[in-house]
Amino acid sequence: MTPSERAEVGDDAAAAVECYSETRNVMLRKTAWDGETFAFDTVFAESASQGRVFSEVALPVVEAVLKGYNGTVMAYGQTGTGKTH
């Protein structure tokens, strides 16, 4: 998740997505009171560095490839959101 843009944050704005790194959950809010929670292997906070994401997600794949395994790391997201490391 990337930090919100200034135009996206207002006095009455509510977050549509909430990330909980500690519990590895992401909540998608339908309303201010209702949402659906999804569990993941890892959830990174907005403040996570590219280096941390690379070391936890891509580095194990790179190391496996160097041992002869096939591997793919795909980064998907909006242009300019820091997918390149």
Side-chain angles (χ1 to χ4, degrees):
M1 211 168 111
T2 58
S4 301
E5 295 290 329
R6 189 178 334 160
E8 296 174 317
V9 179
D11 294 334
D12 60 348
V17 178
E18 296 179 18
C19 294
Y20 303 102
S21 300
E22 308 81 32
T23 59
R24 300 179 318 215
N25 291 320
V26 173
M27 177 184 278
L28 301 181
R29 290 229 172 256
K30 297 175 185 175
T31 67
W33 305 275
D34 185 29
E36 193 166 354
T37 302
F38 300 90
F40 293 90
D41 294 334
T42 305
V43 173
F44 295 101
E46 292 178 8
S47 59
S49 68
Q50 283 186 341
R52 179 170 173 231
V53 173
F54 174 79
S55 66
E56 292 189 36
V57 175
L59 186 57
V61 177
V62 171
E63 290 171 341
V65 166
L66 294 174
K67 293 177 182 176
Y69 294 95
N70 292 325
T72 300
V73 176
M74 185 180 102
Y76 178 82
Q78 186 175 6
T79 301
T81 58
K83 296 176 296 297
T84 304
H85 178 73

